[in-house]
Amino acid sequence: MAKMYAEKQTATAAPAVNTSFFAPRNVIQRQPDAVESVNYLSMINMDEANKSNIKNLNQFSNERYLLSLFLDVPMQVTTSRPASNEAEDISPLTLAIVAWQYDYINDKSGKFKKEKSAVTAVTGKYKDSLSAMLENGFDPKGKTQDWKTIDRNDAGAVLEAEKTYKESIKDNAGDDAKRQAIVDLASSQAGTVVAVDRGDGSKFGWERIARFYEVAQEEFNGPDQFKRTRNTEGVPADDPKETDLKKSKLAGIKAANKFANDKTADWSWCGIFTVWAIRSITGKGSWNAGPQGFGDKKGDITNAKKGDIINIKPGSNPNNHHFILAQDIPSDATDSYVLYAVEGNIDLQGIKATHRWKLSDVSGYYSTV
């Protein structure tokens, strides 16, 4: 598990818009749908807009992530050392602002309220749109959000993702297809979880984390370790009230800027996340203070394949960090080769596709298929 806060980095020039430099072809990248039909990048100075948005949308406040919800784009979190850069992370949000400004200015249907404010130019800068966004329902503090419904939707969405990617291999259950489904399922959760206070004392996406625990620890804690009330589709329908982390592991999962903790010190969910994705696809594996059911950890890392669990050396990350390998490692890879990965519980407890760990950082891997 990486630290729950990001080490500040100097932002460099933003990468190309439609792809991220760390994304292999087999990692799903979700961008605003309209990016493909309108060339928003040509309308703005991307570097200038990103710098403005980084300044005005602090990554440790909930405002940045509430804006992501308002604009319906994944919530991006900055990856700590070894770093990508914050400009890379905020670029999808900048483009979503551009799209909103463009639609606002060119709207002929009257769907936007324009009585108290106006957007006069497409700049991609949050500060240029804030008044108009507020008039059109943006809530930068999260006080008016229907979090109960959002939580139910989150809980249902993660169950649906499990079903979708499990069914994707129904007619092709070969090892490669299983491995790809593991990567795709993990990638589908990118940008859905952030630990900052969303406005009601809870973190964004906590229901998803609870599900990761349920699946990964099913063999040891049973299929319903949190004793939830569920609807007919299996979606939790209750609203946990316990806030004492010493009494409730779920309280720690739900609380903003807190880590789930119990007497077994089972507080890190980077490995929980990997096992959730694997078990959801293959029915194999579990987590109990480490990956279980995959055999011993292997050291010949160049034999690792996509969908395997990678473990990082204590010298590179002291928190026993685990993640899913997203692309096969070339047989001739050297220590400087940088792995493609999908990681959970990085920085602000986010989930992200990354390209940051070198082969020399790896302690070993678990073969999962």
Side-chain angles (χ1 to χ4, degrees):
M1 184 203 76
K3 289 185 292 187
M4 75 174 183
Y5 55 89
E7 296 179 15
K8 297 300 291 183
Q9 302 291 336
T10 301
T12 57
V17 176
N18 292 326
T19 59
S20 180
F21 83 96
F22 55 73
R25 294 176 182 174
N26 64 356
V27 174
I28 296 172
Q29 290 294 296
R30 297 184 295 170
Q31 299 283 358
D33 293 340
V35 168
E36 296 183 3
S37 58
V38 179
N39 186 6
Y40 295 115
L41 183 61
S42 66
M43 302 178 186
I44 64 168
N45 181 322
M46 189 68 169
D47 185 56
E48 182 180 299
N50 277 339
K51 288 179 179 178
S52 176
N53 291 336
I54 290 168
K55 178 181 178 181
N56 290 285
L57 289 166
N58 189 296
Q59 63 175 314
F60 303 102
S61 72
N62 61 358
E63 190 169 3
R64 180 159 165 175
Y65 308 105
L66 287 163
L67 181 61
S68 295
L69 291 183
F70 177 72
L71 297 175
D72 194 27
V73 293
M75 297 178 289
Q76 301 291 334
V77 295
T78 297
T79 304
S80 64
R81 188 181 61 83
S84 55
N85 63 76
E86 198 170 353
E88 169 202 313
D89 289 326
I90 208 167
S91 289
L93 186 55
T94 295
L95 287 173
I97 294 170
V98 173
W100 193 90
Q101 292 173 333
Y102 178 87
D103 290 345
Y104 180 99
I105 292 171
N106 293 281
D107 176 54
K108 305 299 183 184
S109 67
K111 71 176 182 178
F112 290 98
K113 296 179 181 179
K114 301 182 179 181
E115 297 176 2
K116 300 178 181 179
S117 58
V119 176
T120 58
V122 175
T123 65
K125 298 178 181 179
Y126 168 64
K127 66 179 183 180
D128 294 341
S129 305
L130 179 56
S131 295
M133 287 179 173
L134 290 172
E135 185 178 1
N136 283 274
F138 175 49
D139 172 18
K141 299 298 182 183
K143 299 298 184 182
T144 62
Q145 296 288 338
D146 181 3
W147 291 118
K148 183 175 290 187
T149 297
I150 291 172
D151 287 342
R152 295 298 84 75
N153 290 342
D154 267 349
V158 72
L159 291 176
E160 184 62 28
E162 293 170 6
K163 178 181 178 182
T164 297
Y165 291 103
K166 176 68 173 178
E167 290 183 348
S168 72
I169 62 170
K170 182 172 60 176
D171 297 324
N172 179 15
D175 287 355
D176 187 72
K178 290 178 181 178
R179 291 180 175 278
Q180 186 61 57
I182 290 168
V183 173
D184 290 343
L185 175 58
S187 300
S188 75
Q189 302 304 298
T192 61
V193 177
V194 182
V196 299
D197 187 342
R198 63 189 189 181
D200 67 345
S202 301
K203 62 171 66 77
F204 294 92
W206 69 269
E207 281 281 15
R208 295 176 187 265
I209 303 174
R211 179 60 180 173
F212 302 158
Y213 272 91
E214 287 177 344
V215 173
Q217 296 184 326
E218 181 178 3
E219 288 189 6
F220 297 95
N221 297 329
D224 188 23
Q225 66 168 298
F226 302 125
K227 310 302 180 186
R228 308 292 299 275
T229 301
R230 303 174 187 272
N231 65 18
T232 56
E233 297 179 341
V235 178
D238 57 343
D239 183 19
K241 302 296 185 183
E242 180 61 67
T243 59
D244 189 338
L245 273 63
K246 294 181 179 179
K247 296 180 179 179
S248 170
K249 182 174 178 178
L250 189 60
I253 290 173
K254 183 179 180 182
N257 296 315
K258 303 291 184 183
F259 295 97
N261 203 346
D262 61 15
K263 293 180 179 179
T264 63
D266 195 357
W267 50 268
S268 169
W269 59 269
C270 58
I272 293 285
F273 175 71
T274 68
V275 174
W276 161 76
I278 295 158
R279 187 176 177 86
S280 294
I281 298 300
T282 67
K284 174 183 176 183
S286 59
W287 182 273
N288 186 23
Q292 305 290 320
F294 304 113
D296 294 335
K297 183 167 67 173
K298 304 177 186 297
D300 50 341
I301 186 61
T302 55
N303 289 328
K305 299 182 180 298
K306 62 186 177 184
D308 284 342
I309 298 174
I310 302 297
N311 184 212
I312 294 298
K313 293 176 180 177
S316 298
N317 185 300
N319 297 300
N320 196 27
H321 188 47
H322 295 76
F323 58 77
I324 292 175
L325 184 64
Q327 191 175 58
D328 293 352
I329 299 173
S331 58
D332 60 350
T334 64
D335 281 352
S336 62
Y337 177 80
V338 182
L339 306 176
Y340 292 105
V342 184
E343 300 185 63
N345 200 24
I346 58 173
D347 299 315
L348 302 172
Q349 289 196 325
I351 301 169
K352 186 177 179 181
T354 64
H355 183 226
R356 60 178 185 145
W357 297 107
K358 295 180 180 179
L359 207 61
S360 58
D361 293 315
V362 176
S363 167
Y365 75 99
Y366 296 88
S367 182
T368 61
V369 176

